[in-house]
Amino acid sequence: MTTPRVIPVHPAPGAAAPAAGGDGLGCHAGAAQMREAAAGAGKTEVLARYAADYPLQPGTGPHDQPQSMCPAFGSLRVGLRMRRTATILSGSACCVYGLTFTSHFYGARRSVGYVPFNSETLVTGQLFEDIRDAVHAQANPKELDAIVVINLCVPTASGVPLQLLPKEIDGVRIIGIDVPGFGVPTHAEAKDVLAAAMLRYARGEAEAGPVAAPRQGRSQLPAITLLGEMFPADPPGIAQMLAPMGLSVGTVVPTREWRELYAALDCAAVAAIHPFYTASVREFEAAGRPVVGSAPVGVEGTHDWLGAIGAAAGVASDKIDAARNATLGALRGVMSAQKIQGRITLSGYEGSELLVGRLLVECGADLRYVGSACPATPWNAADADWLRSKGVHVQFRASLEQDLAAVAEWKPQLAVGTTPVVQAAKQACIPSLYFTNLISARPLMGVAGAGSLVQVINGAIANQARFDRMHEFFGSVGAGDRAGVWEDVPRDFPDFRADVRRINEKAAKRRKAEEMGG
Ligand code: SF4
């Protein structure tokens, strides 16, 4: 028999975070300290803009620190999905490792550029010179329309001035943005940072003279630009709904190609399907385009949305009625043919949570809670009001703790949520579905959305018997500190446990005393 090895336990470190400016300072360090450093390094204006665009809701959640992936992933993903666009990261190696790993996990199939730094190149300004050299070396107009450079936390806190990069090199546009975790709360909102920077650039080009037409040519009908990444089947579905009004679906923003940005701006109205694109909306409004919130989900949602889009695009009321008649009958048919039966809690960080919530309620679900990491905006206000009128608790800037508390409180038959919520629900023997992978990755709008959602939700709720069997079979095996792979039957060490608790309590008291003294 092997002797159990004791893993040494060190007292929790009470040391202060490293001074801003060095590598290794990140989302685990104090956001306030990072913000202070960034403000002192000339980033006051950009941080103030982010604070206004992506407001935190004090007391409602800790999303001034990422509880999910690094926010910069949103910008990185938008850049990586565009044709003829190179993306370069400037940040700590550990952040870049995580971001490139995640981007390849999500099928980037594209290299991510990286300009490394150390404390010296950061404080002497050499990092900026290195970035400029990298941009010049990459700017080949035969291959690229644009290069995106993203400052992560440390370079932003140190004031690396990407705004001083050339705006264009040999016809290749250079877009430099700061996307610090201490300024942009979620990866959803980071998509907006890059999308808006590109729209602003493209708007300037369009105002200055003729620009390239879309690959497939300009639409003959007035177009509606769709704001927000959505399932590929949704835009054609929306196009069908709009056809009786003489409108077409235009570009989806974030776009897949630079020239699509001009087409996006060249629209009759913008549908802010995802409600967190505050800076992008500013660009559309500057171009004189009306913006409509919510989306065509469920019967009531579709009825109201078609009316709002028609009004924004100046469509006559008889045509709006024709569009409603063409869609709503079929939608009612699908929704009455199959119903969701069960209590549900829902949470996510994609920004489309309220839309999914509306559809769930209309499909018969007993929905008690919708938590979104995104903020309340004018474009989700109607959805929030609608859900609240149905007795659903809507939590913007929801924290993981609030999402978990909702599951504990309502004991749903299905928890739809983020990875840790799903994990906790499964542990509690509650069927659960990942919002991002299983709900976001399917149609949501119109008839296709209703049919598809009911199927997946009912299928998941029907899994309860399997959960019960598993729970009964495994019991408490592998739970708590007995989890993992053991060479022998795990034994308790009560003395060791008491020692560790004492050490931790002492360290906590010491930290508290230091805080009060400081
Ligand atoms: S860049 Fe992202 S991973 Fe790195 S410290 Fe900032 S929030 Fe954390």
Side-chain angles (χ1 to χ4, degrees):
M1 178 179 148
T2 50
T3 322
R5 278 176 301 152
V6 175
I7 298 168
V9 175
H10 300 288
D23 199 354
L25 189 71
C27 38
H28 50 280
Q33 187 192 359
M34 297 287 273
R35 267 194 289 270
E36 208 177 295
K43 296 282 182 185
T44 314
E45 198 183 318
V46 73
L47 288 182
R49 197 175 66 236
Y50 289 164
D53 284 352
Y54 315 121
L56 298 172
Q57 280 158 336
T60 60
H63 275 285
D64 52 344
Q65 288 287 290
Q67 264 188 316
S68 62
M69 66 182 82
C70 164
F73 181 64
S75 300
L76 178 63
R77 178 184 162 96
V78 166
L80 288 176
R81 293 179 72 185
M82 282 184 80
R83 278 194 206 108
R84 292 175 50 83
T85 301
T87 312
I88 296 176
L89 295 177
S90 146
S92 303
C94 51
C95 309
V96 173
Y97 169 75
L99 285 163
T100 49
F101 179 91
T102 314
S103 63
H104 294 303
F105 178 80
Y106 282 103
R109 291 178 300 189
R110 187 95 63 90
S111 296
V112 179
Y114 176 40
V115 182
F117 69 89
N118 56 33
S119 300
E120 193 184 325
T121 61
L122 193 65
V123 295
T124 58
Q126 181 61 42
L127 173 58
F128 176 71
E129 303 294 327
D130 292 346
I131 293 172
R132 193 164 52 190
D133 291 349
V135 166
H136 274 280
Q138 289 271 307
N140 176 359
K142 287 202 186 101
E143 290 175 5
L144 295 178
D145 290 333
I147 297 177
V148 176
V149 187
I150 302 174
N151 255 351
L152 303 179
C153 282
V154 171
T156 304
S158 303
V160 174
L162 295 184
Q163 72 277 9
L164 299 183
L165 288 172
K167 292 283 161 268
E168 176 256 327
I169 302 169
D170 294 339
V172 178
R173 300 144 183 103
I174 313 297
I175 313 274
I177 51 172
D178 298 301
V179 192
F182 56 85
V184 182
T186 61
H187 85 285
E189 289 153 304
K191 293 180 194 174
D192 180 45
V193 173
L194 181 53
M198 290 185 159
L199 282 167
R200 187 160 56 249
Y201 198 122
R203 189 163 60 81
E205 291 179 310
E207 282 166 4
V211 290
R215 204 173 270 269
Q216 69 286 3
R218 282 187 73 196
S219 165
Q220 298 305 305
L221 298 172
I224 304 299
T225 291
L226 303 180
L227 194 44
E229 287 180 305
M230 59 199 82
F231 187 72
D234 274 334
I238 295 174
Q240 267 184 353
M241 293 186 228
L242 293 178
M245 293 197 282
L247 299 173
S248 66
V249 158
T251 308
V252 176
V253 175
T255 64
R256 297 300 186 94
E257 194 174 12
W258 188 271
R259 67 212 287 189
E260 288 180 2
L261 290 162
Y262 312 127
L265 290 160
D266 179 23
C267 65
V270 178
I273 302 281
H274 285 180
F276 52 82
Y277 283 88
T278 304
S280 300
V281 163
R282 192 162 49 236
E283 295 306 318
F284 284 116
E285 286 177 343
R289 307 295 177 233
V291 180
V292 172
S294 195
V297 286
V299 173
E300 287 185 43
T302 305
H303 176 278
D304 294 350
W305 186 81
L306 286 172
I309 287 285
V315 173
S317 59
D318 59 327
K319 284 193 173 170
I320 296 177
D321 288 343
R324 283 171 169 162
N325 290 340
T327 298
L328 298 182
L331 199 48
R332 277 193 196 96
V334 171
M335 292 173 75
S336 59
Q338 33 177 353
K339 284 278 175 202
I340 294 173
Q341 271 160 2
R343 192 164 54 250
I344 296 177
T345 58
L346 170 73
S347 44
Y349 44 65
E350 301 295 333
S352 53
E353 293 76 29
L354 276 68
L355 301 178
V356 176
R358 285 190 73 149
L359 192 50
L360 285 173
V361 171
E362 282 210 35
C363 289
D366 175 14
L367 182 69
R368 299 297 175 94
Y369 171 86
V370 175
S372 176
C374 293
T377 71
W379 308 286
N380 58 22
D383 298 324
D385 288 348
W386 188 91
L387 284 166
R388 287 182 184 126
S389 76
K390 307 286 174 193
V392 180
H393 179 93
V394 178
Q395 182 64 60
F396 290 111
R397 288 282 188 233
S399 66
L400 173 60
E401 290 74 12
Q402 286 165 324
D403 294 344
L404 292 175
V407 174
E409 166 82 14
W410 300 113
K411 298 189 178 41
Q413 268 109 40
L414 177 71
V416 182
T418 56
T419 307
V421 173
V422 165
Q423 195 179 1
K426 282 184 174 163
Q427 223 168 340
C429 201
I430 297 171
S432 35
L433 288 173
Y434 293 106
F435 187 91
T436 301
N437 298 9
L438 295 168
I439 302 296
S440 261
R442 63 182 57 251
L444 188 57
M445 318 292 161
V447 177
S452 146
L453 190 70
V454 172
Q455 249 176 10
V456 71
I457 295 284
N458 280 343
I461 291 177
N463 269 337
Q464 183 65 60
R466 287 169 67 191
F467 272 87
D468 292 341
R469 272 206 308 281
M470 279 195 287
H471 199 249
E472 201 180 319
F473 180 79
F474 287 108
S476 61
V477 171
D481 54 5
R482 289 161 173 242
V485 179
W486 295 77
E487 290 167 349
D488 221 326
V489 176
R491 280 194 293 135
D492 278 339
F493 292 93
D495 295 347
F496 175 75
R497 200 187 278 264
D499 277 351
V500 173
R501 190 181 309 123
R502 250 195 324 276
I503 289 169
N504 283 340
E505 282 169 2
K506 260 168 106 175
K509 271 193 198 143
R510 200 172 51 240
R511 271 200 306 278
K512 190 142 201 187
E514 276 168 12
E515 272 168 32
M516 287 172 79

